[in-house]
Amino acid sequence: MFPHFIHSQKRNPTTHQKDPDMFWDFVTLRHETIHQITFLFTDRGIPDGFRHMNGYGSHTFKLVNATGEAVYCKFHYKTDQGIKNLCPKAAAELAGSEPDYSLRDLYNAIADGRYPTWTFYIQVMTFAQAETFRWNPFDLTKVWPQGEYPLIPVGKLTLNRNAVNYFAEVEQLAFDPASMPPGIEPSPDKMLQGRLFGYADTHRYRLGANYRQIPVNCPYRTRVQNYHRDGFMTVSDNQGGAPNYFPNSFGGPEDDKMYLQSRYQVSSDVARYNTADDDNYSQLAQFWTKVLKPEERSRLASNVAEHLQAAQQFLRERAVQLLTRVHVDYGNAVREALEKLKNQKASSLS
């Protein structure tokens, strides 16, 4: 489903323009999306630069200790500079007058020695808890309530140096969830399982088959020993005359069982699963009623209506119905905001 979601957010294949019909058609047909879409239209949808936003691993991962005991986890980076956002009007003005605003803010802060930091937290869920969790613990569109699975502080992330050469150190970076250090493993999260393949495949297309040899992507404190050889843009010694096949009798690297993926049990049946039938509303209803302040709800409804008004009438109606399923006040607020925009437009034309 994810490729279709991405396509719906991109450009119309005929007009090559952003298309509100595509956007809201998909969202209103796949209700899993409304959690993320709502966050997009809240104040946090437009952070005031990179220093004032949080970061999330989003997926469910596994943490495995030295004895092979494992738990599921989620990663959180909370900004120590505080959350700060831009209103749509200010963001639109900056997009035209200073499109590098966020990049400049981050670069100057680091250059001036005001190093931005994020506190790193994890949430932990045991395998037994995952079996009885009322939502799918591997569903990317759901959160783990922090009241039940509290944030555990782990450390700090500090950005203390700007790139000397942006292309060499940033453009050529190849982040890949399949490149996991020992002790961190993937969970059955379907989206993560797809990304384990998709990211590396993208890097091979973008940077070449030997993208792991590029200095910004290769290890500095050890020497790679494996059976990958040749290909365009080989910039190392290509592992010299070491064997390029396995098994062999000439001193090539052996499998190290220490780094095998941990064992886990699999139960129940295996089949294609349609997440459209899940509870895609109650977590968002809690967000609307318990997290957002009245003025934040008002701005959310206005932001949604501003975008939704450009879609066709049947899509506007379907969107309001979807939001009403989340919470009746959410649907009503967007309906009223749409009506207000309609009256303003009619008044300007009269």
Side-chain angles (χ1 to χ4, degrees), residues 55-327:
Y56 302 94
S58 298
H59 295 292
T60 299
F61 294 86
K62 279 195 294 186
L63 295 179
V64 186
N65 66 16
T67 61
E69 298 172 313
V71 293
Y72 294 123
C73 75
K74 283 187 177 290
F75 300 132
H76 301 253
Y77 291 90
K78 298 282 191 177
T79 176
D80 296 322
Q81 290 71 235
I83 292 291
K84 191 177 176 184
N85 305 301
L86 294 170
C87 69
K89 182 179 179 181
E93 291 173 353
L94 283 171
S97 64
E98 196 176 357
D100 289 335
Y101 170 81
S102 296
L103 183 60
R104 181 176 293 109
D105 173 75
L106 178 62
Y107 183 94
N108 289 343
I110 296 173
D112 294 342
R114 296 178 286 114
Y115 303 137
T117 63
W118 287 258
T119 300
F120 176 45
Y121 300 88
I122 61 172
Q123 286 179 288
V124 170
M125 179 185 291
T126 67
F127 284 21
Q129 288 172 320
E131 289 285 345
T132 59
F133 191 51
R134 58 192 177 282
W135 294 287
N136 178 358
F138 313 118
D139 185 344
L140 187 62
T141 70
K142 305 294 187 295
V143 298
W144 295 359
Q146 293 179 16
E148 301 171 50
Y149 303 93
L151 296 178
I152 303 170
V154 175
K156 290 272 188 182
L157 170 68
T158 302
L159 300 183
N160 61 7
R161 181 178 73 82
N162 283 311
V164 175
N165 183 279
Y166 192 87
F167 181 85
E169 298 182 56
V170 179
E171 290 288 349
Q172 293 191 120
L173 270 173
F175 289 110
D176 177 7
S179 298
M180 296 185 185
I184 302 178
E185 296 179 358
S187 75
D189 181 332
K190 290 197 299 181
M191 181 71 78
L192 176 57
Q193 292 291 332
R195 282 175 166 162
L196 296 178
F197 166 80
Y199 275 57
D201 192 54
T202 298
H203 298 326
R204 283 187 285 271
Y205 176 82
R206 182 172 67 93
L207 299 170
N210 288 299
Y211 69 90
R212 292 179 185 269
Q213 294 180 18
I214 298 172
V216 74
N217 297 320
C218 73
Y220 279 91
R221 298 188 179 185
T222 187
R223 177 180 171 84
V224 174
Q225 289 182 286
N226 56 28
Y227 295 95
H228 297 292
R229 296 289 194 282
D230 309 332
F232 292 113
M233 302 303 292
T234 296
V235 296
S236 68
D237 66 356
N238 207 26
Q239 302 190 48
N244 61 356
Y245 60 93
F246 179 84
N248 64 80
S249 306
F250 303 101
E254 298 283 343
D255 288 338
D256 190 336
K257 294 183 179 180
M258 175 182 175
Y259 300 109
L260 288 175
Q261 185 170 335
S262 62
R263 181 183 300 179
Y264 60 97
Q265 291 184 328
V266 177
S267 61
S268 194
D269 299 327
V270 176
R272 293 287 182 181
Y273 179 69
N274 187 352
T275 56
D277 298 327
D278 286 356
D279 171 14
N280 295 305
Y281 317 106
S282 61
Q283 285 198 353
L284 191 52
Q286 289 284 312
F287 178 71
W288 172 267
T289 59
K290 301 290 180 62
V291 178
L292 294 178
K293 300 174 183 177
E295 62 271 19
E296 292 173 327
R297 293 180 204 145
S298 177
R299 289 194 294 269
L300 166 59
S302 295
N303 291 340
V304 171
E306 281 282 353
H307 191 271
L308 181 58
Q309 68 172 332
Q312 294 185 46
Q313 178 64 28
F314 82 95
L315 293 173
R316 296 198 295 271
E317 294 172 356
R318 206 159 72 191
V320 169
Q321 291 172 1
L322 168 57
L323 300 178
T324 301
R325 292 188 68 173
V326 174
H327 195 283

